[in-house]
């Protein structure tokens, strides 16, 4: 072996020896672990939240649209806290960013309340209607009906966002729901200028919008053309629906005349919602997934969001490697192999915890990760089909994320969605509400990929009133020195984008660099590494291909990451919005 190569082989074997020796260390709850099984890297149990006696810091918001960031700022300035601002930002996004979330949508709000160090998840995921059946998107021969789970009212789950607004305001906020909804109501009633990004989305989905007269009325010109960027878009019906919510709380949306209009419109369009489905919708407060990696405390969303479990699974696998000492190609190889294994677990085990037993403790345990790590070779990709337990494919593409930090240290990381761009593209008459198509995030049939090409198992099959599995990963990364609040849209790519963001934050990268970082991704099946232009150097491409990885340069960019970082010692706060989107991060 030439001298040069021997050196790298020694480095490799050290890296792998440390992987094998380090088999244990990370678990569901770091604090609950006996010291004897803690990984040597995780020297101290990181404190929840900031240490006491820290210097004052500003508030910050990063969201996918400048007008939504401003709506949140207005509510903070009026005396609201991060949770009131979360209501204002979400509601404003429903008005100005129709591609990506809305009143009919849902998502996950990860909260940190600083006064008592509470970390909690508000699960506002859409639910399958009561009349949903496992095979509802298959024809009589058992074949998936094209577009049935993505287009039109049959593709829509029962909305979660309005219930989350009331819950956030009532349980966590300082202001009334009515006050926090005012910026959104104004934007809907008085209008806002159409920006280039949404202009592009409308053009892309014009044909779908033309099939829904109410959607076409708002988003297209009378002749059916896409309005010019800068055109003022007013949404009077949506303003009225928001007013009903502001005046009567969740009841104003889930019961009464809004509910009646929603059900009538959905059913007339071929959907199966009932008044009882709407009246029964409740958000669920769930314990977050908590683990640790390289001394940082990781707090993320729990099932039916798959993000937290898969992220911890990936980090636990990686915890046995010293990634900082690995050369760039090896580092990427190891990260890809961790992605492959954790996404396999997603496909097999994860679904709605109210319906299926999920072995969360196992999937996030250090021992389990050690087993996964043991099958990684440093010099060779492992074909996904060689990993046992391939069962079936699952879930599916646009969404939005925002991050908030207030001056009291309260935090929100929220990822909310209608699923694909403009959801199902159907606006329910009289309500201004654009329907989600989140039913496509279920496994509609074994071995059938959803819009994101994800594979899933029986755990994520359709059942009445069940929540579909999500890739959303709103996350806090806490170190003894600071905190990162992070999340992004991007369908199946979400979890891996948050993984790369976490690794980069722990390597000292700034918020601006974290959101701009070029991304790569492996999701178990299809067995290939997708990467953005610039994510892999020519050398890395050569090495990874030599190891057997199938590489595919993506023709598009992914994600719209919103990051806030806060350094405890200096009080410095950074807010950065992904340059791939058109959002804004502001520090006040
Ligand atoms: O919950 C999920 O996993 C998907 N509905 C998210 C969709 C999404 O991020 C689309 N963005 N590009």
């Amino acid at each position: 072996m030439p001298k040069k190569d021997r050196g790298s082989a020694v480095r490799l074997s050290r890296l792998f020896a440390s992987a094998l020796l380090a088999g244990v260390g990370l678990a569901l709850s770091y604090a609950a672990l006996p010291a004897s099984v803690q990984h040597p890297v995780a020297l101290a149990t990181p404190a929840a939240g900031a240490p006491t006696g820290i210097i004052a810091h500003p508030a910050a918001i990063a969201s996918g649209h400048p007008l939504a960031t401003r709506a949140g700022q207005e509510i903070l300035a009026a005396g609201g806290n991060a949770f009131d601002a979360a209501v204002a930002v979400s509601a404003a996004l429903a008005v100005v960013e129709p591609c990506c979330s809305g009143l009919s949508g849902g998502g996950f709000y990860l909260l940190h309340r600083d006064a008592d160090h509470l970390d909690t998840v508000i699960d506002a995921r859409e639910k399958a209607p009561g009349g949903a059946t496992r095979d509802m998107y298959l024809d009589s021969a058992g074949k998936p009906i094209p577009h049935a789970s993505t287009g039109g009212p049959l593709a829509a789950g029962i909305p979660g966002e309005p219930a989350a607004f009331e819950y956030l305001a009532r349980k966590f906020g300082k202001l009334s729901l009515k006050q926090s909804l005012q910026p959104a109501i104004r934007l809907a009633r008085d209008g806002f200028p159409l920006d280039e990004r949404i202009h592009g989305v409308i053009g892309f989905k014009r044909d779908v919008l033309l099939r829904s007269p109410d959607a076409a009325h708002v988003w297209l010109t009378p002749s059916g053309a896409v309005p010019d960027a800068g055109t003022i878009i007013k949404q009077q019906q949506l303003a009225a629906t928001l007013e009903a919510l502001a005046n009567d709380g969740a009841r104003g949306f889930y019961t009464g005349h809004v509910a009646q209009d929603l059900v009538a419109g959905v059913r007339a369009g071929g959907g199966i919602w009932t008044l009882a489905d709407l009246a029964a919708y409740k958000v669920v407060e769930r314990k977050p997934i908590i683990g640790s990696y390289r001394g940082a405390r990781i707090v993320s969303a729990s099932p039916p969001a798959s993000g937290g479990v898969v992220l911890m699974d990936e980090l636990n696998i990686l915890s046995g490697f010293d990634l900082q000492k690995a050369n760039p190609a090896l580092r990427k190889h190891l990260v890809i192999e961790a992605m492959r294994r954790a996404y396999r677990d997603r496909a097999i085990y994860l679904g709605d915890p109210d319906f299926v037993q999920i072995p969360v403790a196992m999937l996030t345990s250090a021992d389990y990760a050690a087993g996964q790590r043991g099958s990684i070779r440093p010099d060779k990709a492992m074909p996904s089909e060689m990993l046992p337990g391939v069962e079936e494919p699952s879930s599916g593409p646009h969404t939005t994320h925002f991050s908030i930090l207030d001056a009291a240290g309260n935090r929100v990381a929220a990822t909310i969605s209608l699923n694909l761009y403009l959801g199902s593209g159907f606006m329910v008459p009289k309500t201004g509400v654009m329907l989600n198509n989140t039913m496509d995030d279920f496994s509609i049939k074994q071995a059938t990929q959803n819009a994101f090409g994800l594979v899933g198992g029986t755990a994520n099959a359709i059942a009445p009133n069940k929540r579909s599995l999500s890739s959303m990963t709103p996350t806090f990364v806490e170190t003894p020195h600071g905190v990162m609040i992070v999340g992004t849209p991007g369908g199946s790519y979400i979890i891996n984008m948050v993984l790369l963001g976490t690794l980069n934050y722990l390597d000292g990268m700034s918020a601006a660099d974290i959101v701009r970082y070029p991304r790569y991704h492996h999701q178990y099946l299809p067995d290939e590494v997708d990467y953005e232009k610039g994510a892999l150097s020519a050398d890395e491409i050569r090495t990874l291909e030599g190891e057997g990885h199938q590489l595919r340069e993506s023709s598009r960019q992914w994600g719209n990451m919103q990051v806030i970082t806060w350094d405890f010692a200096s009080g410095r706060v950074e807010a950065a919005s992904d340059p791939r989107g058109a959002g804004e991060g502001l520090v006040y």
Side-chain angles (χ1 to χ4, degrees), residues 108 125 346 395-399 417-420 438 441 452 469-472 488-492 494:
F108 297 88
R125 182 67 162 171
R346 179 193 194 279
S395 117
H398 222 82
T399 300
S417 185
L418 293 174
N419 193 28
L420 307 183
T438 303
D441 278 346
F452 293 98
L469 183 62
S470 172
S471 296
M472 295 178 189
T488 178
S492 59
I494 291 176

Side-chain angles (χ1 to χ4, degrees), residues 339-362:
M339 291 171 170
R340 178 201 308 282
R341 285 160 177 76
Y343 269 69
R344 166 192 167 270
D345 289 339
R346 179 193 194 279
I348 293 171
Y349 294 110
L350 301 188
D352 182 347
D354 295 340
F355 284 72
V356 290
Q357 289 266 4
I358 305 177
V360 173
M362 175 190 93

